[in-house]
Structure formats: C-alpha cells, structure tokens
Amino acid sequence: MSNGASALSGPSVVLVTGGAGFIGSNFIRYLLEKTGFEGRVINYDSLTYAGNLMSLRDVDERFGGSRYFFEKGDICDYKKVEETFRRYEVDAVVHFAAESHVDRSIHGPKVFISTNVTGTFNLLEAARNSWGGRKDVKFHHVGTDEVYGSLGESGYFYETTPYSPRSPYSASKAASDHLVRAYFHTYGVPVTISNCSNNYGPYQFPEKLIPLSVLNALEGKPLPVYGDGRNVRDWLYVDDHCAAVWQILKQGRVGETYNIGGECEQQNLDVVNGICEILEELYPAKDNRELKKSAPAVRRYSELVKFVGDRPGHDRRYAVNCDKIKNELGWSRACSYEAALKHTVQWYLQNMEWAESIRSGEYLKWIGKNYGARDVT
Ligand code: NAD
Ligand code: DAU
C-alpha cells in the first residue's frame, strides 16, 4: 500500500515514549525550544536504568505543567498506555522507548522482547483503538540501521535493503518495525518509520562507546576496544537525528520508511583515540588528579586503550544511504563530526553531576560483572 499524502502538518499533543532516555530527552528539548511547535509534549517513560529525569530538569523548569508533562509508565502496560492516549488527547506519537544496548541484549535478551516487541505492539493497539480511522494523526517509530545486518568493505544500507538482524537487540527492533508496517497495511494506522545510525551527544548513557570512553578516561580506567577496533559505525550528532525525526513527523509520507545517517564512517579505535586527543586538549592527562590517583603510570589518555574480547556476532560495518530523506524532505545533517564530538566531550566534562546521578544505580553492578568477564576492570 502506498500513500502519497503527508499525514500531519502540525500536531498539538505529542506523546514521546522513552523521553527520559538519551535521544528522547534531546528530542523533547529540541521540539519545545527549536521548532516553533506550540503544542504539548507528554513524556511517557518507565524510568529504567537508562531513564533519568535529570536529563530534562531545564525543560521541566521552563515548560512543566503547561506544555511538558511526565507520565511514569511502562509501554508493556496496555491499560496505562491507552489511558494516557485518551487523557491527553494525543494526536502524534514519537516512539523512542526501548531497551537499546546490544551488549545487554546478549547477556539478557528477555526484556528486549517484552519492551521492544510487546511494548511497541501495545502502543500500536492503543493508537488503533483511540484514533479509529483518523488520518490527521501520526505514529512515528524510531528504528535502527542495525536491522539491516552487517556490511563488508563497501556498500550502504538503503530503505530497500533486506532485514538481517544479528543480535537480540536488532532482532527485537526488526520485529517492532514489522509490526508498525503491519498496522499501516492492515488497519490503516498512519505510521512512519526511521532507521538511524549511531548517535552521540549530551545525555547518552555511559554504557555506549563515546560516553563510556570519556568517563573512563577521566577516571583513569581502561578504555575497552572490542576485537581489533576496526569495526565501523556511521556517527550522527543527536540534534541532527532530532531534526530528521521532526521533519518526518510533519512531512513524511505515511507508510514510508526513511533512513537517517551521519555519512560519517569511523573505525572504533579512531573514535576512542579521537576522544583521547580532545581530552588532552581540554583537560590534559598530566593535570588530571583522578588519573594520577588511579593510574600513576599513565601520562596520556591514549595509554588507557585496552583491546578486549570481541562482542559475539559483532557487526563489522554500518553505513547508511540517506538520499531519500534528503531528496524528499530536504533534511541533511548540520553538525560536523569533529566539532560535535568536541562539544560532546566538553559537555561531559561540565556535567559530571549528571553522569554521577545516572551511574549511581543498577548499571554499576551490571557493568562491573560484564567488564570483569572481559578483563578490563
Ligand atoms: P536509551 O536507552 O538512552 O533510552 C531508552 C528510554 O526508554 C529510557 O528513558 C528508558 O527508561 C525508557 N524505557 C525502556 N523500557 C521502557 C518501557 N518498557 N516502558 C517505558 N519506557 C521504557 O535509548 P536511546 O539511545 O535514547 O534510543 C532511543 C531509541 O532510538 C531506541 O528505540 C533505539 O532503538 C533507537 N536508536 C538509537 C540509536 C542510538 O545510537 N542511541 C540509533 C538509532 C536508533
Ligand atoms: O547503529 C545504531 C545503534 O547504535 C543503535 O540502534 C543502538 O541503540 C546503539 O546502542 C548503537 O549500537 P552500537 O552497538 O553500535 O553502539 P555501542 O556504543 O555499544 O558500540 C559502538 C561500537 O563500539 C561497536 O562496534 C562496539 C564497540 N564498542 C562498544 C563499547 C561499549 C567497543 O569497542 N567498546 C565498548 O566498550
């Protein structure tokens, strides 16, 4: 089924799932501060280890109770999801909520199936039941490029690339994409899907490569690099992702999928070394008291790089072709990798309080156990 019409020119109540997470919190801030959007945002989040309301403290202070509302809830709780749709008269959904970390999905896949698959199913059911046949509404599903599998030395992921997920995380995200498409074809729910590459920026949970490397370096801990460090990811600054999602929500053709990428392929080892260089410039290792305490022999951050055992099923290379969103919707990335990575490192340096707050929970126990297994503690 193909539909040429743009479904939504201006939503008035946007339900953002997973709004207390990394991209969700950046999206809410972006929507309220940078788009001219005049409606209300409902942040629906169950606050797992990855969700942190501190990431939205400024937003809450400015917009809380008038244009920003927080609902603590699980997307696996259908009753609560449907109640939220009806209470706020939601007319658009941006669905970020997910278990998002590949390594965790390897150690404990079950919650990935419940949140990413059943949770998405619940949201689709709530949309179908609350919206009936309405066409002036939209459900945008935030997907990942990992559903396409792994590339060799050359080539790109296109919207038409067959799905080939290789981790429990990407398999669960692939299942959710399929459900979203099925609800469009079967029930006519106005949906759009995006499949995006690796994001980085402020408020990213420090289990992911970039924030983990920044914080570990500052604390004089090893910087774990999996395998030979030559796996390639396509990096996109989070604000550019937010802009793309907003553009799709407003102008994207219903039933369509849009790839989003940074057109910025980097090998992991280069990313980690790049972070070390930026840190050397902003806060030289020789001035870092923490580093002197925990690793007195280390004179430069790059000496902390440590090759560790590879991630099972580690996808070798991701690279996204995003001609469709560029040509149809006029989106392109605005931020350069070099400038945005430096800004990101600077943000972590200036927001250690945030990092402490998010790391004080269950995460530390988990990371201790798994890093132990890789011999990097
Ligand atoms: P994140 O882990 O930082 O945040 C996930 C948020 O979802 C958290 O606030 C968490 O509390 C919430 N959540 C988890 N389970 C929930 C549940 N059952 N009910 C309600 N809330 C729940 O994730 P992120 O990196 O911000 O990713 C957001 C979305 O974007 C995910 O769908 C992910 O697959 C997708 N994505 C991420 C990237 C990336 O590089 N981070 C790239 C492409 C796509
Ligand atoms: O491609 C989009 C995906 O990007 C999103 O769908 C996921 O939600 C997001 O987590 C991210 O997945 P990755 O697995 O690519 O991100 P991560 O930061 O975990 O790892 C990036 C690369 O760095 C990957 O090749 C594994 C490697 N790595 C990761 C960690 C945490 C290391 O070498 N050492 C590490 O300590």
Side-chain angles (χ1 to χ4, degrees), residues 9 18-19 58 78 85 106 121 131-132 160 173 192-193 211 232 235 255 265 292 305 340-341 368:
S9 55
D58 57 323
Y78 177 75
F85 257 76
I106 295 166
F121 164 73
W131 288 342
T160 50
K173 290 293 290 184
T192 43
I193 296 177
V232 172
W235 293 96
E265 293 179 48
K292 278 186 197 151
V305 169
L341 185 62

Side-chain angles (χ1 to χ4, degrees), residues 21-23 45-46 48 51 74-75 96 100 115 143 169 173 197 199:
F22 163 47
I23 309 175
D45 197 301
S46 63
T48 67
D74 194 323
I75 56 171
F96 290 103
S100 68
T115 288
Y169 163 70
K173 290 293 290 184
S197 64
N199 283 217

Side-chain angles (χ1 to χ4, degrees), residues 201-227:
Y203 303 105
Q204 184 167 30
F205 194 85
E207 63 191 347
K208 310 285 164 57
L209 181 66
I210 289 181
L212 178 85
S213 302
V214 176
L215 295 176
N216 274 17
L218 288 172
E219 290 167 9
K221 292 183 183 159
L223 309 180
V225 172
Y226 300 165

Side-chain angles (χ1 to χ4, degrees), residues 56 79 318 327 354:
L56 286 163
K79 214 166 148 236
Y318 301 150
N327 295 335
W354 176 87

